[in-house]
Amino acid sequence: MTGAMYAAIGGLKTHMSSLNVIGNNIANVNTAGYKDQRMTFQETIYTTSKAGSNGTLVLGGNNPSQIGYGSQVGSIDLNMSPGTFNPTGRALDCMIEGDGFFLVGNKDYLINGGDDFTAPMLTRVGNFWQDANGYICDRNGNVVYGFATVKNPYYLDHDPVPGTDDTVVAAAKAMGVNTTDEYIVSSALVPLRLPLAAAEPTEANGGIDPTDPDNPKWQAGDPVYGLLGPASGDNDARKNFSLVDEEGQLRGEVSNAGMAITGGAGSIDGEADFTYKGPIPNTEDKCITAEGLKISDTGAIVCESGTGKTVVVGYVAIAKVMAPDGVTHIGGPYYKCMEGAGDISVGAVGGIMGGRYLNNQVVDNTNADNPVVPNIKDSLNPCAGTEIQAGGLEASTADVATEFSNMILTQRGYQANTRIVTVTDSMLEELINMKR
């Protein structure tokens, strides 16, 4: 068989791969969040029949003489540029305008540091909804990760624990920790879930003051936010903490003074004992009734509880990778930040997380000459230049006109290669027929 036939067969295979890419683009022309692909051709091996030379004092030089043997797939690239906005009218549908991805996945990812940012999957499709357990999910059942609203244990209007809380709050203020807001946005990256619903107020759970029984301190169904675990000793993580365990049981003892979180199993990661003052959640791990649940242009998941309280569940996290075109497609609308994508950072739009560190870490300036700074990988991205558009999804970036033009070129290229095979076959036939 001649080299021309080998080259033509290589060209046929490469053009078929190109047609596969074009076919996939056309098939997903109406797929929300789809990023079109582009295949490039590349020359394959060469044989050298005569080497080149630079010449001598007597003779001139000459170029090398080489024959190529067809083409092969050079690269298949993703076009990660934003698509157009496709309005849907759904309150939780949203689109990322600019670079970035939503983070989704299982509920049990433990994001303890910047190296764990690669655990969740990446997606550009923001078709979110609330499931029966109060989690914000995508349509494939993956929970959405973000930064939740929590109750601030450093808030000065809480019950002090003698000999401990005073010291902790003073140390927190010295380190620049927020001690003035009762509720704050935690920088722990967690699955977003509606707050728990408050239990019926009674004297036993501190919801009714015996001296003023007609004015309960809360209503059944009011939102009960998680806590930000206070730091003490060597434990400075300050992660989110729920007042109920995995079975929905309260972690502490309830009294008229509030909810006492004690040492052992009831403590927060071994923290000092403290008293929680506020609505006590029900013991069935039930979330509030959310009315008007929607996502804002800042990525905030907001609603009203059934009792009329405004609730900010939290802010949707946005992940940015160094090389967006280098993410690895793992099926459907999901990607992973693997080899080729570079480093990954996480934050929220609007600069909400700018200047903060993962898991509410802060710079310890206790020793001004030698401040303790968290790992640079744990710093959160302000997501400058990225916005969220609510009420719609990102349209596919596949363009039908471009794909049809590429299909014509691919078809004609394939056809031309078949002609080489036909001509080569005719030449071989003539060779065989030389001896009759």
Side-chain angles (χ1 to χ4, degrees):
M1 187 182 293
T2 68
M5 184 171 285
Y6 282 117
I9 291 174
L12 291 173
K13 291 180 178 179
T14 308
H15 279 82
M16 183 56 70
S17 296
S18 177
L19 189 63
N20 290 338
V21 172
I22 294 170
N24 187 53
N25 287 339
I26 293 176
N28 288 283
V29 71
N30 288 317
T31 301
Y34 175 76
K35 300 301 177 183
D36 66 288
Q37 296 174 293
R38 179 196 65 178
M39 199 201 87
T40 61
F41 289 75
Q42 179 177 295
E43 299 166 282
T44 185
I45 60 174
Y46 280 83
T47 60
T48 301
S49 59
K50 184 175 69 174
S53 67
N54 293 329
T56 66
L57 293 175
V58 178
L59 299 175
N62 62 274
N63 297 326
S65 298
Q66 296 178 294
I67 299 175
Y69 286 92
S71 64
Q72 62 183 351
V73 176
S75 65
I76 300 177
D77 308 312
L78 274 174
N79 173 19
M80 294 304 297
S81 60
T84 58
F85 182 69
N86 181 19
T88 62
R90 294 181 177 271
L92 279 181
D93 283 352
C94 59
M95 165 188 164
I96 298 175
E97 182 65 47
D99 294 336
F101 299 86
F102 298 113
L103 289 167
V104 299
N106 299 330
K107 301 175 183 177
D108 56 356
Y109 295 141
L110 296 177
I111 314 298
N112 293 319
D115 292 332
D116 299 324
F117 287 154
T118 57
M121 297 182 292
L122 309 174
T123 183
R124 293 279 298 187
V125 183
N127 56 343
F128 303 144
W129 68 297
Q130 172 211 328
D131 74 0
N133 295 314
Y135 285 95
I136 307 301
C137 305
D138 69 7
R139 295 294 172 172
N140 292 321
N142 298 297
V143 296
V144 179
Y145 276 74
F147 304 101
T149 302
V150 295
K151 190 174 176 65
N152 184 5
Y154 303 105
Y155 179 52
L156 294 180
D157 194 31
H158 69 291
D159 268 3
V161 175
T164 57
D165 267 10
D166 291 339
T167 303
V168 170
V169 172
K173 291 181 68 176
M175 294 171 62
V177 175
N178 185 331
T179 60
T180 59
D181 296 325
E182 184 174 3
Y183 298 99
I184 59 174
V185 179
S186 167
S187 66
L189 189 59
V190 296
L192 292 179
R193 189 189 187 195
L194 298 176
L196 296 177
E200 186 74 32
T202 64
E203 290 186 23
N205 61 26
I208 294 179
D209 187 342
T211 62
D212 190 13
D214 295 330
N215 294 301
K217 299 179 181 178
W218 68 79
Q219 292 179 271
D222 276 353
V224 182
Y225 295 92
L227 286 168
L228 186 67
S232 66
D234 295 330
N235 184 3
D236 198 29
R238 291 191 292 275
K239 297 180 183 178
N240 299 354
F241 173 78
S242 176
L243 293 177
V244 298
D245 59 21
E246 290 77 5
E247 286 73 36
Q249 301 301 311
L250 294 177
R251 294 181 183 269
E253 297 295 328
V254 177
S255 67
N256 288 330
M259 185 173 176
I261 308 295
T262 57
S267 65
I268 301 179
D269 296 332
E271 299 290 356
D273 299 351
F274 73 100
T275 301
Y276 162 79
K277 292 295 291 288
I280 302 299
N282 63 68
T283 57
E284 298 175 350
D285 197 29
K286 288 185 178 180
C287 293
I288 62 169
T289 300
E291 298 180 357
L293 189 66
K294 61 182 180 181
I295 186 169
S296 72
D297 292 341
T298 61
I301 305 292
V302 297
C303 66
E304 282 194 2
S305 69
T307 58
K309 299 289 179 64
T310 300
V311 175
V312 178
V313 179
Y315 291 81
V316 172
I318 300 295
K320 290 199 172 188
V321 297
M322 187 68 69
D325 293 351
V327 294
T328 301
H329 214 148
I330 59 174
Y334 304 116
Y335 305 87
K336 274 283 190 178
C337 182
M338 302 172 70
E339 292 293 331
D343 293 334
I344 182 172
S345 60
V346 175
V349 299
I352 296 170
M353 290 295 154
R356 298 184 62 181
Y357 291 91
L358 183 69
N359 292 333
N360 304 288
Q361 300 174 81
V362 294
V363 177
D364 187 351
N365 290 312
T366 305
N367 183 350
D369 296 329
N370 188 25
V372 180
V373 181
N375 191 320
I376 188 62
K377 290 185 177 181
D378 295 349
S379 61
L380 299 180
N381 196 318
C383 295
T386 299
E387 299 177 354
I388 286 183
Q389 294 191 40
L393 299 175
E394 182 179 12
S396 171
T397 58
D399 180 70
V400 175
T402 300
E403 299 304 328
F404 270 64
S405 299
N406 291 337
M407 183 166 56
I408 293 172
L409 293 173
T410 302
Q411 180 185 10
R412 292 308 182 189
Y414 189 91
Q415 186 180 37
N417 279 273
T418 62
R419 295 295 184 267
I420 296 296
V421 175
T422 302
V423 170
T424 305
D425 178 56
S426 298
M427 293 174 66
L428 292 173
E429 182 182 11
E430 293 296 329
L431 178 64
I432 292 172
N433 289 337
M434 287 177 64
K435 177 72 169 70
R436 294 185 182 276

